[in-house]
Amino acid sequence: MTRRTRKILVVVAVGLALVTLPVLGGLAYNYVDTLKQSRSRVRDVAGTVARQVAQVLLVAEAALADVAFDARNGCTPELIREFRNKTIAHPTIQGMGLITPGNYLACTTFGMTDPPVRSDADNFIVSRGALVWFTPPRRNLYAPGQSFTAEYALKDGHRLALALAPEVLFGLMEADIIGSDGNITVAMQGIPFAELGSPADPAADDLVETRDVGLYDATVTAKASRRWALARWRENALVTGLLGALAGGVLAVGGAHYARGRFSLASELREALNNKEFEIWYQPVIDLQRGHCAGAEALIRWRHPERDLIPPDLFISMAEDSGIIIPMTRWLMQRVGEDLGPLLKANPGLHIAINLAPAHMSDHGIVEDARTTLGRYGIQPSQILFELTERSLIDDPACREVVKALGDLGTEVAIDDFGTGYSSLAYIDKFKLNYLKVDKAFVSVIGTQSPTVRLTDIIIGMATSLGLKTIAEGVETTEQAQYLRQRGVKYAQGWHFSKPLNIDDFLAFVRDNNKPIDTGAAQETA
Ligand code: C2E
Ligand code: CA
Ligand code: CA
């Protein structure tokens, strides 16, 4: 081979490599990425169904607790009427009944059972003392038309039972989001009782993602076949192939850009913290019963040098993922002390709410930070209300310890966005919280025909019976304020009273505290 031929060969090889490498690279990147995306799709589906299962079980639990009082005198017409009301109000509830000692079903939504029927169902105990049995026996998986039953033990050996239709668990769920051979299984105590999609093949090497509905001892497993993921990849690969080197290049550049974007947002946040680019806005919290301002929730915003004011939804999750949320919250508490220390000191009745993230629940730093701020600004611990979402309240010793330490310090603790996650009230009751914040979703339905209003009532009623004070969020109308006030909700916040304000406007709002606030009370006396 002459030098020239060798040279040509090298040039051709390099040329070929230049064209094919981006394509191969693109395809490989595509493959890994599609697999990752497919996995995250499967995980999302499992998460969505888990939330639905949790919602349905929350409704069941609340309905059972709600009629327990009427069940104290056995099968009365009032009790049967309550059964009917619940069954009508909640499409997820097929029926309710009272079981007497000896396992006899005495009356149901449909009236007295005469003579009482003995239940031969296959019973077993699940968490928190509730019984669940499946009809048909649990060996068989769910088929349309069958139900499972949740029970509630009364003091005198009677039990309340409630039948749920598992298909409602899947309500809006389309299994074929994860392919025609996708499968979703809901299990209680590890025993599957509801299944959607094509039957699971245990031998197959599938993409499997499981999510806990832990509080209810239930899990949701979503499975998609690798064939489905590969098919998605092939679709993508075709495009990649067609676009050739260009697509490879674009993908590579896009990937790098994405990574850099994520990376730079984290470092930008760090820089913004150093450069003091964050601001705190205060949303007034109104005492619904007395009609005056009782404090505020501190909400962070980012005054970006080149953009508008950036809302927290756009950066909090990155701040949480990167751990910046810890110094950010430390800064925020410090700032709250500077902004409001004198006001809080002069008005011991005012409180200020501060949002915490899951990361705060794994070490005691937050407790020390709170102690420092309180001491420095002479604020009473009871004037600080820490808001924790359900994501933060995990059932582990570290989390329980932090919540307890915050309580021991004397600060108050609230569950935020209640009803939007997986938790039941019985679960959060373990944490000895002081407040429950009723999420916007349950306030916005007030005055509408939505059956969710019943859930709003149930949440308020149960919170009260657990000794939790309530704060309603997202109140936008007089009617909502009035409704909540009449049901004993202590505090409310929302655009009806005020949007979040900068510190000067908030101080002015408090100064104007004698100005009447529209809590709907006027309408009643009028
Ligand atoms: P959140 O804690 O549920 O805060 C309430 C959100 O609802 C606020 O949005 C508030 O501006 C908005 N809002 C208040 N009243 C109404 C109303 O009547 N109607 C409607 N449609 N919305 C209303 P914002 O300030 O954008 O905060 C969003 C979320 O960002 C907060 O939700 C909270 O989860 C998070 N966040 C804000 N500041 C912090 C912080 O300092 N630390 C942490 N960890 N999270 C924060
Ligand atoms: Ca909050
Ligand atoms: Ca909230």
Side-chain angles (χ1 to χ4, degrees), residues 314-524:
L314 298 187
F315 61 85
I316 286 289
S317 80
M318 188 65 207
E320 288 181 358
D321 290 352
S322 59
I324 297 169
I325 194 73
I326 301 285
M328 193 182 259
T329 306
R330 190 177 301 131
W331 168 83
L332 180 137
M333 276 202 287
Q334 171 81 21
R335 192 55 197 274
V336 164
E338 287 166 18
D339 279 353
L340 297 178
L343 178 79
L344 292 172
K345 225 170 144 178
N347 299 278
L350 287 184
H351 75 258
I352 184 87
I354 292 172
N355 290 286
L356 296 184
H360 289 114
M361 294 296 107
S362 46
D363 76 86
H364 271 246
I366 183 65
V367 186
E368 294 321 312
D369 291 347
R371 203 192 304 278
T372 309
T373 312
L374 291 168
R376 184 173 303 157
Y377 297 96
I379 302 170
Q380 295 300 317
S382 59
Q383 291 182 283
I384 300 292
L385 172 63
F386 285 112
E387 299 192 358
L388 301 171
T389 60
E390 296 169 39
R391 277 188 310 130
S392 301
L393 283 181
I394 49 166
D395 197 4
D396 87 3
C399 176
R400 275 198 300 269
E401 250 176 58
V402 173
V403 176
K404 183 172 179 308
L406 289 174
D408 290 347
L409 182 61
T411 59
E412 308 255 32
V413 185
I415 173 103
D416 197 358
D417 302 342
F418 184 77
T420 59
Y422 305 89
S423 315
S424 70
L425 278 165
Y427 172 74
I428 62 163
D429 192 39
K430 286 204 288 208
F431 289 93
K432 304 281 167 276
L433 308 175
N434 311 98
Y435 284 90
L436 178 144
K437 293 197 81 171
V438 182
D439 190 69
K440 280 203 274 295
F442 298 99
V443 172
S444 61
V445 291
I446 294 171
T448 69
Q449 295 298 312
S450 165
T452 308
V453 188
R454 285 294 297 133
L455 209 49
T456 314
D457 291 347
I458 289 169
I459 289 173
I460 296 170
M462 287 184 78
T464 311
S465 67
L466 289 176
L468 292 168
K469 288 170 275 190
T470 40
I471 307 175
E473 300 187 276
V475 175
E476 295 184 348
T477 66
T478 304
E479 186 187 4
Q480 291 164 356
Q482 184 178 28
Y483 185 96
L484 294 161
R485 194 174 54 72
Q486 286 168 342
R487 276 156 189 77
V489 172
K490 193 168 170 59
Y491 297 120
Q493 56 188 102
W495 297 348
H496 174 62
F497 306 110
S498 171
K499 291 209 168 176
L501 305 169
N502 65 33
I503 178 64
D504 294 336
D505 291 343
F506 174 64
L507 290 174
F509 189 95
V510 178
R511 262 198 310 275
D512 272 0
N513 223 350
N514 300 332
K515 194 177 70 179
I517 291 178
D518 176 19
T519 59
Q523 272 85 340
E524 270 157 65

Side-chain angles (χ1 to χ4, degrees), residues 241-253:
L242 283 174
L243 294 179
L246 183 65
V250 167
L251 271 173
V253 171

